[in-house]
Amino acid sequence: MAYILIFITAIFVNNIVLSQFLGICPFLGVSKKVETACGMGAAVAFVLTIATIVTYLIQIYVLEAFGLEYLQTIAFILVIAALVQMVEIILKKVSPSLYQALGVFLPLITTNCCILGVAILVANGTYATQGLEPNLLTGVVFAISTALGFALALVIFAGIREQLSLMPVPKGMQGMSIALVTAGLLAMAFMGFSGVDNGLSKLFGI
């Protein structure tokens, strides 16, 4: 049940984009069409899961083991950039069809602060574990849930923007102006889930 609470919290209560404001650039830039939003969401989920595992192991067995915690941010940035390049090369050779689907979005992930933010949260154990000790398993569950939350917000936002493109929006509000207003309203909607995790924790005694 604790893992389900992590899942619900990461997707709805503490959504990485709408609550913690990480990954805003791709959220606004790759959300004009639902198709591209789905591709970006899948790419983020794929890379985020791998990056979380690798960075967690580096944090435990390299940075903390040798007293190099102050290099965490720089080390994680290099690791994420290297992982993105490696994944891109592997996909291009092993699965050209998947590379065509995700390859366009993979370079954008290198500059996605959502990946780095989640990696640091998991490595430091500061994410909501709902009674579980921070470890690799709970970190991976949190990373996958966060990626799904990012994809959900991105797809919903893209669907709204597609509908807005068909509406007679006032000239002064067209483009990024109406997008920012819509993002704010969507964030307010997700605020309705606040307290759900605490309610479930009390209900199941976690």
Side-chain angles (χ1 to χ4, degrees):
M1 188 62 200
Y3 291 106
I4 297 177
L5 287 176
I6 293 176
F7 184 79
I8 294 173
T9 301
I11 293 179
F12 300 106
V13 181
N14 294 323
N15 187 279
I16 195 70
V17 179
L18 301 176
S19 296
Q20 302 186 49
F21 307 111
L22 294 175
I24 294 294
C25 293
F27 180 70
L28 295 175
V30 196
S31 59
K32 293 182 180 180
K33 294 184 179 179
V34 174
E35 183 179 357
T36 56
C38 291
M40 186 63 181
V44 167
F46 185 66
V47 174
L48 183 55
T49 304
I50 298 175
T52 299
I53 296 173
V54 175
T55 52
Y56 182 86
L57 295 176
I58 289 176
Q59 175 73 18
I60 299 298
Y61 296 107
V62 178
L63 299 181
E64 292 184 2
F66 295 96
L68 301 173
E69 293 91 340
Y70 61 92
L71 294 176
Q72 183 189 68
T73 303
I74 297 176
F76 283 13
I77 291 174
L78 294 176
V79 168
I80 292 171
L83 279 175
V84 171
Q85 293 299 320
M86 185 173 64
V87 169
E88 188 174 0
I89 293 172
I90 292 174
L91 285 179
K92 190 174 183 179
K93 292 184 178 181
V94 176
S95 180
S97 59
L98 185 59
Y99 173 77
Q100 291 295 327
L102 301 180
V104 179
F105 306 104
L106 283 173
L108 296 176
I109 297 177
T110 307
T111 57
N112 189 347
C113 57
C114 169
I115 308 293
L116 178 61
V118 172
I120 292 176
L121 288 174
V122 172
N124 294 342
T126 54
Y127 56 97
T129 57
Q130 300 294 344
L132 289 179
E133 289 295 327
N135 54 44
L136 182 58
L137 179 58
T138 56
V140 170
V141 172
F142 174 73
I144 294 173
S145 303
T146 300
L148 291 176
F150 176 83
L152 176 65
L154 193 63
V155 171
I156 292 175
F157 189 51
I160 295 174
R161 292 187 72 177
E162 280 192 353
Q163 293 298 316
L164 285 174
S165 65
L166 304 176
M167 302 297 293
V169 179
K171 187 175 181 181
M173 290 295 293
Q174 291 178 1
M176 192 55 65
S177 299
I178 191 65
L180 291 173
V181 172
T182 304
L185 294 174
L186 189 58
M188 291 177 64
F190 269 70
M191 286 178 62
F193 294 104
S194 299
V196 171
D197 53 337
N198 293 329
L200 291 175
S201 297
K202 294 179 180 178
L203 179 63
F204 293 98
I206 297 177

